[in-house]
Amino acid sequence: MMRFRGLNKLQSRILQLLLVFIIPVISCHGQSNSAADNPGPKLTIAHDTIDYGIIPRNSNPYRYIKFTNTGNEPFILSVFGDVVVPVEYPHKPIQPGESGEIKISYPTNRVGPFMNFIGVNYNTNPTPKIIYVKGWVLHAGVDSAKGK
């Protein structure tokens, strides 16, 4: 352990604890994450999981993810993800308070369980929001209510 010159062992230990635990807490105390303190766009997504549930083969492949710009500046979306799940999304700037939707399409001709993801990024946030897409496509002739 590091020892400070001119201090005894107990005083040195107390100073070390202050430096390690107390000072970082004090420096972060005045920070806030409210929209008024952090101007800019903010992406709010209704759900982080799209669950197709148990569906028959070749059923409706489309689902929609609704989002809103709850910040105070416009943003531009970029969406990326698994090759299996094609997406359509607005390429124009989304103004503050404006809502929109991302259209996803899972190929329901593929039989069996699936779990994929879509990443949603926007122009000022380096961390994408991950949305999971999951479900189970049954063979033709199988009753989806019974699962057999």
Side-chain angles (χ1 to χ4, degrees), residues 119-142:
V120 180
N121 206 352
Y122 57 107
N123 53 323
T124 62
N125 188 355
T127 305
K129 293 188 181 270
I130 303 298
I131 299 170
Y132 295 96
V133 180
K134 66 180 185 172
W136 192 300
V137 179
L138 297 175
H139 289 280
V142 176

mmCIF file with all atom_site columns, all heavy atoms in Angstrom, residues 119-142:
data_model
loop_
_atom_site.group_PDB
_atom_site.id
_atom_site.type_symbol
_atom_site.label_atom_id
_atom_site.label_alt_id
_atom_site.label_comp_id
_atom_site.label_asym_id
_atom_site.label_entity_id
_atom_site.label_seq_id
_atom_site.pdbx_PDB_ins_code
_atom_site.Cartn_x
_atom_site.Cartn_y
_atom_site.Cartn_z
_atom_site.occupancy
_atom_site.B_iso_or_equiv
_atom_site.pdbx_formal_charge
_atom_site.auth_seq_id
_atom_site.auth_comp_id
_atom_site.auth_asym_id
_atom_site.auth_atom_id
_atom_site.pdbx_PDB_model_num
ATOM 1   N N   . GLY A 1 119 ? -30.163 -3.556  -33.760 1.00 0.00 ? 119 GLY A N   1
ATOM 2   C CA  . GLY A 1 119 ? -29.551 -2.439  -33.042 1.00 0.00 ? 119 GLY A CA  1
ATOM 3   C C   . GLY A 1 119 ? -30.066 -1.136  -33.616 1.00 0.00 ? 119 GLY A C   1
ATOM 4   O O   . GLY A 1 119 ? -30.107 -0.953  -34.829 1.00 0.00 ? 119 GLY A O   1
ATOM 5   N N   . VAL A 1 120 ? -30.496 -0.228  -32.747 1.00 0.00 ? 120 VAL A N   1
ATOM 6   C CA  . VAL A 1 120 ? -30.999 1.074   -33.181 1.00 0.00 ? 120 VAL A CA  1
ATOM 7   C C   . VAL A 1 120 ? -30.056 2.126   -32.635 1.00 0.00 ? 120 VAL A C   1
ATOM 8   O O   . VAL A 1 120 ? -29.854 2.233   -31.425 1.00 0.00 ? 120 VAL A O   1
ATOM 9   C CB  . VAL A 1 120 ? -32.434 1.325   -32.667 1.00 0.00 ? 120 VAL A CB  1
ATOM 10  C CG1 . VAL A 1 120 ? -32.936 2.691   -33.122 1.00 0.00 ? 120 VAL A CG1 1
ATOM 11  C CG2 . VAL A 1 120 ? -33.365 0.225   -33.128 1.00 0.00 ? 120 VAL A CG2 1
ATOM 12  N N   . ASN A 1 121 ? -29.461 2.873   -33.530 1.00 0.00 ? 121 ASN A N   1
ATOM 13  C CA  . ASN A 1 121 ? -28.513 3.908   -33.147 1.00 0.00 ? 121 ASN A CA  1
ATOM 14  C C   . ASN A 1 121 ? -29.021 5.238   -33.681 1.00 0.00 ? 121 ASN A C   1
ATOM 15  O O   . ASN A 1 121 ? -29.773 5.276   -34.641 1.00 0.00 ? 121 ASN A O   1
ATOM 16  C CB  . ASN A 1 121 ? -27.141 3.592   -33.743 1.00 0.00 ? 121 ASN A CB  1
ATOM 17  C CG  . ASN A 1 121 ? -26.007 4.178   -32.947 1.00 0.00 ? 121 ASN A CG  1
ATOM 18  O OD1 . ASN A 1 121 ? -26.220 4.947   -32.019 1.00 0.00 ? 121 ASN A OD1 1
ATOM 19  N ND2 . ASN A 1 121 ? -24.799 3.835   -33.311 1.00 0.00 ? 121 ASN A ND2 1
ATOM 20  N N   . TYR A 1 122 ? -28.602 6.325   -33.054 1.00 0.00 ? 122 TYR A N   1
ATOM 21  C CA  . TYR A 1 122 ? -28.933 7.629   -33.599 1.00 0.00 ? 122 TYR A CA  1
ATOM 22  C C   . TYR A 1 122 ? -27.737 8.544   -33.481 1.00 0.00 ? 122 TYR A C   1
ATOM 23  O O   . TYR A 1 122 ? -26.769 8.226   -32.814 1.00 0.00 ? 122 TYR A O   1
ATOM 24  C CB  . TYR A 1 122 ? -30.201 8.213   -32.980 1.00 0.00 ? 122 TYR A CB  1
ATOM 25  C CG  . TYR A 1 122 ? -30.229 8.372   -31.488 1.00 0.00 ? 122 TYR A CG  1
ATOM 26  C CD1 . TYR A 1 122 ? -30.126 9.629   -30.913 1.00 0.00 ? 122 TYR A CD1 1
ATOM 27  C CD2 . TYR A 1 122 ? -30.396 7.284   -30.651 1.00 0.00 ? 122 TYR A CD2 1
ATOM 28  C CE1 . TYR A 1 122 ? -30.191 9.790   -29.549 1.00 0.00 ? 122 TYR A CE1 1
ATOM 29  C CE2 . TYR A 1 122 ? -30.456 7.436   -29.292 1.00 0.00 ? 122 TYR A CE2 1
ATOM 30  C CZ  . TYR A 1 122 ? -30.356 8.695   -28.735 1.00 0.00 ? 122 TYR A CZ  1
ATOM 31  O OH  . TYR A 1 122 ? -30.410 8.851   -27.379 1.00 0.00 ? 122 TYR A OH  1
ATOM 32  N N   . ASN A 1 123 ? -27.778 9.683   -34.145 1.00 0.00 ? 123 ASN A N   1
ATOM 33  C CA  . ASN A 1 123 ? -26.595 10.475  -34.448 1.00 0.00 ? 123 ASN A CA  1
ATOM 34  C C   . ASN A 1 123 ? -25.784 10.965  -33.258 1.00 0.00 ? 123 ASN A C   1
ATOM 35  O O   . ASN A 1 123 ? -24.621 11.266  -33.431 1.00 0.00 ? 123 ASN A O   1
ATOM 36  C CB  . ASN A 1 123 ? -26.963 11.656  -35.351 1.00 0.00 ? 123 ASN A CB  1
ATOM 37  C CG  . ASN A 1 123 ? -28.085 12.501  -34.798 1.00 0.00 ? 123 ASN A CG  1
ATOM 38  O OD1 . ASN A 1 123 ? -29.016 11.992  -34.195 1.00 0.00 ? 123 ASN A OD1 1
ATOM 39  N ND2 . ASN A 1 123 ? -28.020 13.788  -35.012 1.00 0.00 ? 123 ASN A ND2 1
ATOM 40  N N   . THR A 1 124 ? -26.311 11.065  -32.062 1.00 0.00 ? 124 THR A N   1
ATOM 41  C CA  . THR A 1 124 ? -25.497 11.584  -30.963 1.00 0.00 ? 124 THR A CA  1
ATOM 42  C C   . THR A 1 124 ? -25.238 10.572  -29.867 1.00 0.00 ? 124 THR A C   1
ATOM 43  O O   . THR A 1 124 ? -24.598 10.890  -28.894 1.00 0.00 ? 124 THR A O   1
ATOM 44  C CB  . THR A 1 124 ? -26.163 12.815  -30.323 1.00 0.00 ? 124 THR A CB  1
ATOM 45  O OG1 . THR A 1 124 ? -27.411 12.412  -29.773 1.00 0.00 ? 124 THR A OG1 1
ATOM 46  C CG2 . THR A 1 124 ? -26.337 13.921  -31.311 1.00 0.00 ? 124 THR A CG2 1
ATOM 47  N N   . ASN A 1 125 ? -25.740 9.371   -30.000 1.00 0.00 ? 125 ASN A N   1
ATOM 48  C CA  . ASN A 1 125 ? -25.574 8.381   -28.945 1.00 0.00 ? 125 ASN A CA  1
ATOM 49  C C   . ASN A 1 125 ? -24.734 7.220   -29.477 1.00 0.00 ? 125 ASN A C   1
ATOM 50  O O   . ASN A 1 125 ? -25.195 6.475   -30.326 1.00 0.00 ? 125 ASN A O   1
ATOM 51  C CB  . ASN A 1 125 ? -26.937 7.870   -28.482 1.00 0.00 ? 125 ASN A CB  1
ATOM 52  C CG  . ASN A 1 125 ? -26.834 6.993   -27.268 1.00 0.00 ? 125 ASN A CG  1
ATOM 53  O OD1 . ASN A 1 125 ? -25.749 6.679   -26.801 1.00 0.00 ? 125 ASN A OD1 1
ATOM 54  N ND2 . ASN A 1 125 ? -27.960 6.588   -26.753 1.00 0.00 ? 125 ASN A ND2 1
ATOM 55  N N   . PRO A 1 126 ? -23.525 7.034   -28.967 1.00 0.00 ? 126 PRO A N   1
ATOM 56  C CA  . PRO A 1 126 ? -22.675 5.955   -29.485 1.00 0.00 ? 126 PRO A CA  1
ATOM 57  C C   . PRO A 1 126 ? -23.117 4.559   -29.063 1.00 0.00 ? 126 PRO A C   1
ATOM 58  O O   . PRO A 1 126 ? -22.698 3.584   -29.635 1.00 0.00 ? 126 PRO A O   1
ATOM 59  C CB  . PRO A 1 126 ? -21.305 6.289   -28.904 1.00 0.00 ? 126 PRO A CB  1
ATOM 60  C CG  . PRO A 1 126 ? -21.600 7.043   -27.666 1.00 0.00 ? 126 PRO A CG  1
ATOM 61  C CD  . PRO A 1 126 ? -22.866 7.810   -27.935 1.00 0.00 ? 126 PRO A CD  1
ATOM 62  N N   . THR A 1 127 ? -23.980 4.456   -28.049 1.00 0.00 ? 127 THR A N   1
ATOM 63  C CA  . THR A 1 127 ? -24.404 3.151   -27.577 1.00 0.00 ? 127 THR A CA  1
ATOM 64  C C   . THR A 1 127 ? -25.750 2.801   -28.196 1.00 0.00 ? 127 THR A C   1
ATOM 65  O O   . THR A 1 127 ? -26.739 3.469   -27.936 1.00 0.00 ? 127 THR A O   1
ATOM 66  C CB  . THR A 1 127 ? -24.534 3.141   -26.042 1.00 0.00 ? 127 THR A CB  1
ATOM 67  O OG1 . THR A 1 127 ? -23.307 3.577   -25.482 1.00 0.00 ? 127 THR A OG1 1
ATOM 68  C CG2 . THR A 1 127 ? -24.873 1.766   -25.534 1.00 0.00 ? 127 THR A CG2 1
ATOM 69  N N   . PRO A 1 128 ? -25.821 1.761   -29.040 1.00 0.00 ? 128 PRO A N   1
ATOM 70  C CA  . PRO A 1 128 ? -27.104 1.421   -29.662 1.00 0.00 ? 128 PRO A CA  1
ATOM 71  C C   . PRO A 1 128 ? -28.061 0.790   -28.663 1.00 0.00 ? 128 PRO A C   1
ATOM 72  O O   . PRO A 1 128 ? -27.647 0.194   -27.677 1.00 0.00 ? 128 PRO A O   1
ATOM 73  C CB  . PRO A 1 128 ? -26.715 0.416   -30.741 1.00 0.00 ? 128 PRO A CB  1
ATOM 74  C CG  . PRO A 1 128 ? -25.445 -0.174  -30.275 1.00 0.00 ? 128 PRO A CG  1
ATOM 75  C CD  . PRO A 1 128 ? -24.743 0.902   -29.478 1.00 0.00 ? 128 PRO A CD  1
ATOM 76  N N   . LYS A 1 129 ? -29.333 0.940   -28.929 1.00 0.00 ? 129 LYS A N   1
ATOM 77  C CA  . LYS A 1 129 ? -30.355 0.232   -28.165 1.00 0.00 ? 129 LYS A CA  1
ATOM 78  C C   . LYS A 1 129 ? -30.576 -1.092  -28.883 1.00 0.00 ? 129 LYS A C   1
ATOM 79  O O   . LYS A 1 129 ? -30.738 -1.122  -30.097 1.00 0.00 ? 129 LYS A O   1
ATOM 80  C CB  . LYS A 1 129 ? -31.637 1.038   -28.099 1.00 0.00 ? 129 LYS A CB  1
ATOM 81  C CG  . LYS A 1 129 ? -31.490 2.317   -27.299 1.00 0.00 ? 129 LYS A CG  1
ATOM 82  C CD  . LYS A 1 129 ? -32.834 2.974   -27.105 1.00 0.00 ? 129 LYS A CD  1
ATOM 83  C CE  . LYS A 1 129 ? -32.687 4.246   -26.329 1.00 0.00 ? 129 LYS A CE  1
ATOM 84  N NZ  . LYS A 1 129 ? -32.791 4.097   -24.915 1.00 0.00 ? 129 LYS A NZ  1
ATOM 85  N N   . ILE A 1 130 ? -30.573 -2.173  -28.143 1.00 0.00 ? 130 ILE A N   1
ATOM 86  C CA  . ILE A 1 130 ? -30.740 -3.498  -28.722 1.00 0.00 ? 130 ILE A CA  1
ATOM 87  C C   . ILE A 1 130 ? -32.188 -3.939  -28.539 1.00 0.00 ? 130 ILE A C   1
ATOM 88  O O   . ILE A 1 130 ? -32.718 -3.877  -27.439 1.00 0.00 ? 130 ILE A O   1
ATOM 89  C CB  . ILE A 1 130 ? -29.786 -4.519  -28.067 1.00 0.00 ? 130 ILE A CB  1
ATOM 90  C CG1 . ILE A 1 130 ? -28.332 -4.068  -28.206 1.00 0.00 ? 130 ILE A CG1 1
ATOM 91  C CG2 . ILE A 1 130 ? -29.996 -5.912  -28.653 1.00 0.00 ? 130 ILE A CG2 1
ATOM 92  C CD1 . ILE A 1 130 ? -27.848 -3.961  -29.627 1.00 0.00 ? 130 ILE A CD1 1
ATOM 93  N N   . ILE A 1 131 ? -32.804 -4.384  -29.613 1.00 0.00 ? 131 ILE A N   1
ATOM 94  C CA  . ILE A 1 131 ? -34.170 -4.898  -29.584 1.00 0.00 ? 131 ILE A CA  1
ATOM 95  C C   . ILE A 1 131 ? -34.105 -6.353  -30.030 1.00 0.00 ? 131 ILE A C   1
ATOM 96  O O   . ILE A 1 131 ? -33.558 -6.664  -31.091 1.00 0.00 ? 131 ILE A O   1
ATOM 97  C CB  . ILE A 1 131 ? -35.085 -4.088  -30.513 1.00 0.00 ? 131 ILE A CB  1
ATOM 98  C CG1 . ILE A 1 131 ? -35.118 -2.639  -30.033 1.00 0.00 ? 131 ILE A CG1 1
ATOM 99  C CG2 . ILE A 1 131 ? -36.481 -4.693  -30.554 1.00 0.00 ? 131 ILE A CG2 1
ATOM 100 C CD1 . ILE A 1 131 ? -35.787 -1.701  -30.977 1.00 0.00 ? 131 ILE A CD1 1
ATOM 101 N N   . TYR A 1 132 ? -34.641 -7.229  -29.209 1.00 0.00 ? 132 TYR A N   1
ATOM 102 C CA  . TYR A 1 132 ? -34.617 -8.656  -29.514 1.00 0.00 ? 132 TYR A CA  1
ATOM 103 C C   . TYR A 1 132 ? -35.887 -9.052  -30.260 1.00 0.00 ? 132 TYR A C   1
ATOM 104 O O   . TYR A 1 132 ? -36.972 -8.553  -29.958 1.00 0.00 ? 132 TYR A O   1
ATOM 105 C CB  . TYR A 1 132 ? -34.457 -9.472  -28.229 1.00 0.00 ? 132 TYR A CB  1
ATOM 106 C CG  . TYR A 1 132 ? -33.127 -9.210  -27.582 1.00 0.00 ? 132 TYR A CG  1
ATOM 107 C CD1 . TYR A 1 132 ? -32.998 -8.281  -26.556 1.00 0.00 ? 132 TYR A CD1 1
ATOM 108 C CD2 . TYR A 1 132 ? -31.993 -9.863  -28.030 1.00 0.00 ? 132 TYR A CD2 1
ATOM 109 C CE1 . TYR A 1 132 ? -31.764 -8.012  -25.990 1.00 0.00 ? 132 TYR A CE1 1
ATOM 110 C CE2 . TYR A 1 132 ? -30.755 -9.599  -27.469 1.00 0.00 ? 132 TYR A CE2 1
ATOM 111 C CZ  . TYR A 1 132 ? -30.652 -8.678  -26.443 1.00 0.00 ? 132 TYR A CZ  1
ATOM 112 O OH  . TYR A 1 132 ? -29.432 -8.406  -25.893 1.00 0.00 ? 132 TYR A OH  1
ATOM 113 N N   . VAL A 1 133 ? -35.727 -9.938  -31.223 1.00 0.00 ? 133 VAL A N   1
ATOM 114 C CA  . VAL A 1 133 ? -36.832 -10.464 -32.019 1.00 0.00 ? 133 VAL A CA  1
ATOM 115 C C   . VAL A 1 133 ? -36.837 -11.963 -31.787 1.00 0.00 ? 133 VAL A C   1
ATOM 116 O O   . VAL A 1 133 ? -35.838 -12.639 -32.061 1.00 0.00 ? 133 VAL A O   1
ATOM 117 C CB  . VAL A 1 133 ? -36.637 -10.146 -33.519 1.00 0.00 ? 133 VAL A CB  1
ATOM 118 C CG1 . VAL A 1 133 ? -37.786 -10.695 -34.333 1.00 0.00 ? 133 VAL A CG1 1
ATOM 119 C CG2 . VAL A 1 133 ? -36.476 -8.658  -33.730 1.00 0.00 ? 133 VAL A CG2 1
ATOM 120 N N   . LYS A 1 134 ? -37.955 -12.482 -31.267 1.00 0.00 ? 134 LYS A N   1
ATOM 121 C CA  . LYS A 1 134 ? -37.987 -13.911 -30.949 1.00 0.00 ? 134 LYS A CA  1
ATOM 122 C C   . LYS A 1 134 ? -39.348 -14.497 -31.290 1.00 0.00 ? 134 LYS A C   1
ATOM 123 O O   . LYS A 1 134 ? -40.333 -13.767 -31.456 1.00 0.00 ? 134 LYS A O   1
ATOM 124 C CB  . LYS A 1 134 ? -37.664 -14.146 -29.476 1.00 0.00 ? 134 LYS A CB  1
ATOM 125 C CG  . LYS A 1 134 ? -38.705 -13.600 -28.519 1.00 0.00 ? 134 LYS A CG  1
ATOM 126 C CD  . LYS A 1 134 ? -38.307 -13.884 -27.090 1.00 0.00 ? 134 LYS A CD  1
ATOM 127 C CE  . LYS A 1 134 ? -39.407 -13.445 -26.134 1.00 0.00 ? 134 LYS A CE  1
ATOM 128 N NZ  . LYS A 1 134 ? -39.133 -13.870 -24.777 1.00 0.00 ? 134 LYS A NZ  1
ATOM 129 N N   . GLY A 1 135 ? -39.393 -15.798 -31.378 1.00 0.00 ? 135 GLY A N   1
ATOM 130 C CA  . GLY A 1 135 ? -40.637 -16.492 -31.655 1.00 0.00 ? 135 GLY A CA  1
ATOM 131 C C   . GLY A 1 135 ? -40.383 -17.921 -32.061 1.00 0.00 ? 135 GLY A C   1
ATOM 132 O O   . GLY A 1 135 ? -39.268 -18.430 -31.966 1.00 0.00 ? 135 GLY A O   1
ATOM 133 N N   . TRP A 1 136 ? -41.435 -18.556 -32.539 1.00 0.00 ? 136 TRP A N   1
ATOM 134 C CA  . TRP A 1 136 ? -41.361 -19.948 -32.954 1.00 0.00 ? 136 TRP A CA  1
ATOM 135 C C   . TRP A 1 136 ? -42.303 -20.130 -34.136 1.00 0.00 ? 136 TRP A C   1
ATOM 136 O O   . TRP A 1 136 ? -43.495 -19.858 -34.031 1.00 0.00 ? 136 TRP A O   1
ATOM 137 C CB  . TRP A 1 136 ? -41.787 -20.857 -31.805 1.00 0.00 ? 136 TRP A CB  1
ATOM 138 C CG  . TRP A 1 136 ? -41.478 -22.300 -32.010 1.00 0.00 ? 136 TRP A CG  1
ATOM 139 C CD1 . TRP A 1 136 ? -41.935 -23.103 -33.008 1.00 0.00 ? 136 TRP A CD1 1
ATOM 140 C CD2 . TRP A 1 136 ? -40.656 -23.120 -31.201 1.00 0.00 ? 136 TRP A CD2 1
ATOM 141 N NE1 . TRP A 1 136 ? -41.453 -24.373 -32.880 1.00 0.00 ? 136 TRP A NE1 1
ATOM 142 C CE2 . TRP A 1 136 ? -40.660 -24.413 -31.761 1.00 0.00 ? 136 TRP A CE2 1
ATOM 143 C CE3 . TRP A 1 136 ? -39.926 -22.895 -30.051 1.00 0.00 ? 136 TRP A CE3 1
ATOM 144 C CZ2 . TRP A 1 136 ? -39.961 -25.465 -31.215 1.00 0.00 ? 136 TRP A CZ2 1
ATOM 145 C CZ3 . TRP A 1 136 ? -39.229 -23.952 -29.504 1.00 0.00 ? 136 TRP A CZ3 1
ATOM 146 C CH2 . TRP A 1 136 ? -39.242 -25.219 -30.081 1.00 0.00 ? 136 TRP A CH2 1
ATOM 147 N N   . VAL A 1 137 ? -41.760 -20.587 -35.255 1.00 0.00 ? 137 VAL A N   1
ATOM 148 C CA  . VAL A 1 137 ? -42.560 -20.856 -36.446 1.00 0.00 ? 137 VAL A CA  1
ATOM 149 C C   . VAL A 1 137 ? -42.815 -22.358 -36.498 1.00 0.00 ? 137 VAL A C   1
ATOM 150 O O   . VAL A 1 137 ? -41.880 -23.157 -36.491 1.00 0.00 ? 137 VAL A O   1
ATOM 151 C CB  . VAL A 1 137 ? -41.844 -20.378 -37.732 1.00 0.00 ? 137 VAL A CB  1
ATOM 152 C CG1 . VAL A 1 137 ? -42.695 -20.689 -38.955 1.00 0.00 ? 137 VAL A CG1 1
ATOM 153 C CG2 . VAL A 1 137 ? -41.533 -18.892 -37.657 1.00 0.00 ? 137 VAL A CG2 1
ATOM 154 N N   . LEU A 1 138 ? -44.108 -22.722 -36.556 1.00 0.00 ? 138 LEU A N   1
ATOM 155 C CA  . LEU A 1 138 ? -44.502 -24.134 -36.571 1.00 0.00 ? 138 LEU A CA  1
ATOM 156 C C   . LEU A 1 138 ? -44.568 -24.676 -37.988 1.00 0.00 ? 138 LEU A C   1
ATOM 157 O O   . LEU A 1 138 ? -44.786 -23.930 -38.940 1.00 0.00 ? 138 LEU A O   1
ATOM 158 C CB  . LEU A 1 138 ? -45.872 -24.290 -35.896 1.00 0.00 ? 138 LEU A CB  1
ATOM 159 C CG  . LEU A 1 138 ? -45.951 -23.923 -34.420 1.00 0.00 ? 138 LEU A CG  1
ATOM 160 C CD1 . LEU A 1 138 ? -47.390 -24.024 -33.933 1.00 0.00 ? 138 LEU A CD1 1
ATOM 161 C CD2 . LEU A 1 138 ? -45.043 -24.800 -33.592 1.00 0.00 ? 138 LEU A CD2 1
ATOM 162 N N   . HIS A 1 139 ? -44.449 -25.994 -38.109 1.00 0.00 ? 139 HIS A N   1
ATOM 163 C CA  . HIS A 1 139 ? -44.631 -26.677 -39.398 1.00 0.00 ? 139 HIS A CA  1
ATOM 164 C C   . HIS A 1 139 ? -46.078 -26.518 -39.850 1.00 0.00 ? 139 HIS A C   1
ATOM 165 O O   . HIS A 1 139 ? -46.972 -26.306 -39.035 1.00 0.00 ? 139 HIS A O   1
ATOM 166 C CB  . HIS A 1 139 ? -44.326 -28.172 -39.267 1.00 0.00 ? 139 HIS A CB  1
ATOM 167 C CG  . HIS A 1 139 ? -42.879 -28.459 -39.077 1.00 0.00 ? 139 HIS A CG  1
ATOM 168 N ND1 . HIS A 1 139 ? -41.981 -28.476 -40.102 1.00 0.00 ? 139 HIS A ND1 1
ATOM 169 C CD2 . HIS A 1 139 ? -42.161 -28.759 -37.949 1.00 0.00 ? 139 HIS A CD2 1
ATOM 170 C CE1 . HIS A 1 139 ? -40.783 -28.754 -39.632 1.00 0.00 ? 139 HIS A CE1 1
ATOM 171 N NE2 . HIS A 1 139 ? -40.865 -28.934 -38.332 1.00 0.00 ? 139 HIS A NE2 1
ATOM 172 N N   . ALA A 1 140 ? -46.305 -26.663 -41.121 1.00 0.00 ? 140 ALA A N   1
ATOM 173 C CA  . ALA A 1 140 ? -47.675 -26.623 -41.649 1.00 0.00 ? 140 ALA A CA  1
ATOM 174 C C   . ALA A 1 140 ? -48.463 -27.794 -41.084 1.00 0.00 ? 140 ALA A C   1
ATOM 175 O O   . ALA A 1 140 ? -47.950 -28.897 -40.908 1.00 0.00 ? 140 ALA A O   1
ATOM 176 C CB  . ALA A 1 140 ? -47.649 -26.703 -43.172 1.00 0.00 ? 140 ALA A CB  1
ATOM 177 N N   . GLY A 1 141 ? -49.715 -27.548 -40.745 1.00 0.00 ? 141 GLY A N   1
ATOM 178 C CA  . GLY A 1 141 ? -50.564 -28.606 -40.210 1.00 0.00 ? 141 GLY A CA  1
ATOM 179 C C   . GLY A 1 141 ? -50.463 -28.782 -38.715 1.00 0.00 ? 141 GLY A C   1
ATOM 180 O O   . GLY A 1 141 ? -51.151 -29.605 -38.146 1.00 0.00 ? 141 GLY A O   1
ATOM 181 N N   . VAL A 1 142 ? -49.610 -28.007 -38.027 1.00 0.00 ? 142 VAL A N   1
ATOM 182 C CA  . VAL A 1 142 ? -49.487 -28.114 -36.582 1.00 0.00 ? 142 VAL A CA  1
ATOM 183 C C   . VAL A 1 142 ? -50.367 -27.037 -35.954 1.00 0.00 ? 142 VAL A C   1
ATOM 184 O O   . VAL A 1 142 ? -50.350 -25.885 -36.371 1.00 0.00 ? 142 VAL A O   1
ATOM 185 C CB  . VAL A 1 142 ? -48.015 -27.924 -36.134 1.00 0.00 ? 142 VAL A CB  1
ATOM 186 C CG1 . VAL A 1 142 ? -47.908 -27.946 -34.626 1.00 0.00 ? 142 VAL A CG1 1
ATOM 187 C CG2 . VAL A 1 142 ? -47.142 -28.992 -36.753 1.00 0.00 ? 142 VAL A CG2 1
#
